[in-house]
Amino acid sequence: MNYKIAVIPGDGIGPDVVGEAIRVLDAVGARFGHHFEYTKVLAGGAAIDAYGQCLPEETVKTARAADAVLLGAVGGPKWDDVPGDQRPERALLGLRKALGLYANIRPAMVFPDLADASPLKPEIIGSGLDLVIVRELTGGIYFGEKGRRDTDLGPAAYDVEQYSEMEIRRIARIAFDMAMKRRKKVTSVDKANVLESSRLWRKTVADVSKDYPEVELDNLYVDNASMQLVRNPQQFDVILTSNLFGDILSDEASQITGSIGMLPSASLTDGSFGMYEPVHGSAPDIAGTGKANPIATILSAAMMLRDTFGLLDEADAVEKAVDQFLHDGFRTADIARGQGRVLSTRETGEKIAAFIGA
Ligand code: IPM
Ligand code: MG
């Protein structure tokens, strides 16, 4: 089969890690008889430098015409002085909206071979940690009305948090469907003790849950949820939450695994199309040094194989190759902690690709 992938390397270590994910995809293609066709386009700082805008129309068009998008990371200090509506990060928001990617899936798991990397005590991590955050990605305060106005207290600024029932319903379905394939528990996170939008959120989620009698639904306020994540993270299976709360909680969740350089993510719409990217950022300080860990992007490519292309054995092969890499004692700089054999970005990609070919 032939699969069309729009590739957006982005800024900083983005091109480094995306290059290795492509190497691994090519190894998958060679072993299983698929052809992956890549079209590289620019977004973020790289696009600002080349075209004077962070998200050129060409990039959106190429992404729309592809079966899936593979993205590295965008942003860096070089573009700190660019006006807010043209910052590299705006390219991400623009892509999410233009492509209708309303469901952001961010798994946070502890890899058995890296269990001691978590900053939490062993008795809290217990036998492991395996949760997934389902974050609404095209609504809420990120996309609500915003502006400046004069008030009695002087000049002010505002950003509106708004959710329609439809938006809540469709993201809730994604979370419940996912829970059905996992440990059958959804924790919906809101601030219903204060926010009207959260009260609609909670009521709508309860409504959707009636279609999933096997799934246990728990509601937590976001302040409590952030505390529970470090107090007892094992209680979570699927966390369902809004755009802003999901942004915050997913950083917290990834950090408690101790290996943010390892975590993939998917942004999905109805149907099979998706955009896949590592959870980590562009780390401009180590760009081009060979220190970046490409595994999060490689595992994002595995999610692409499974969720967009329906290639289950191929996705398993990538994940198994990563497990073998770790199990054999190979490490990248960020997860080495003085142990194992430290490989560069490129050597890591080559090693994982070789395990797939084997
Ligand atoms: C993320 C990032 C983005 C977000 C930024 C870069 C706009 O933090 O994907 O979590 O806030 O959604
Ligand atoms: Mg974030």
Side-chain angles (χ1 to χ4, degrees), residues 89 92-93 96 106 135 137 142 243 247 250-251 277:
E89 291 82 357
L92 264 187
L93 302 185
R96 290 169 182 171
R106 296 189 166 175
R135 167 192 178 194
L137 202 59
Y142 272 60
N243 205 342
D247 179 47
S250 63
D251 265 30
E277 59 183 300

